[in-house]
Amino acid sequence: MFRRTFWFTAGAAAGVWATTKVNRKLKQLTPESLAAQAADKAIETGHKLKDFALDVREGMIRREAELGGALGLEAPVDPELPVRQHFAVEAADAAGTGKPATHRKLPYNSYNRNEDH
């Protein structure tokens, strides 16, 4: 009698456990849950890419400083040497007033055949 009661209880517990496990897995596979998981992974990947870009930028700045020091680009200027002017690239506004524009426009040639001309 006790043996049958033990096995009945063990079977019922195993059935409840298996049913709970299956229901949890089914909830994980619903479209809403899959969409939420994909969104979380996308956000996580975006954070990792941002951290990577910041690390690359930091390394780039550090390397530029090293190269500038090695090449003497940051050395003080000798007053007896002639000064060479460096001109910055600035685009004039569309009105032709000669004032620098707030942004620089590059020539844009579209090779899109579907674009209206």
Side-chain angles (χ1 to χ4, degrees), residues 63-86:
R63 182 64 178 150
E64 284 180 358
E66 290 174 6
L67 290 174
L71 295 174
L73 297 177
E74 298 172 6
V77 178
D78 188 7
E80 295 180 9
L81 293 175
V83 177
R84 197 169 148 206
Q85 289 184 332
H86 298 282

Side-chain angles (χ1 to χ4, degrees), residues 24-100:
R24 283 185 190 162
K25 188 55 86 171
L26 286 175
K27 285 181 183 178
Q28 285 180 351
L29 296 176
T30 61
E32 295 85 15
S33 178
L34 291 175
Q37 289 175 6
D40 290 342
K41 290 290 183 182
I43 290 172
E44 181 181 340
T45 303
H47 289 306
K48 287 180 182 180
L49 284 174
K50 181 182 175 185
D51 292 341
F52 174 73
L54 290 175
D55 289 343
V56 168
R57 186 177 189 89
E58 179 184 337
M60 180 179 65
I61 291 170
R62 187 179 317 123
R63 182 64 178 150
E64 284 180 358
E66 290 174 6
L67 290 174
L71 295 174
L73 297 177
E74 298 172 6
V77 178
D78 188 7
E80 295 180 9
L81 293 175
V83 177
R84 197 169 148 206
Q85 289 184 332
H86 298 282
F87 297 101
V89 177
E90 293 180 354
D93 63 347
T97 60
K99 295 180 186 175

Side-chain angles (χ1 to χ4, degrees), residues 96-117:
T97 60
K99 295 180 186 175
T102 57
H103 62 283
R104 181 176 169 214
K105 284 190 163 185
L106 298 175
Y108 177 70
N109 298 325
S110 174
Y111 298 104
N112 186 357
R113 294 183 195 177
N114 297 325
E115 185 178 77
D116 293 331
H117 296 287

Side-chain angles (χ1 to χ4, degrees), residues 10-20:
V16 169
W17 176 80
T19 304
T20 305

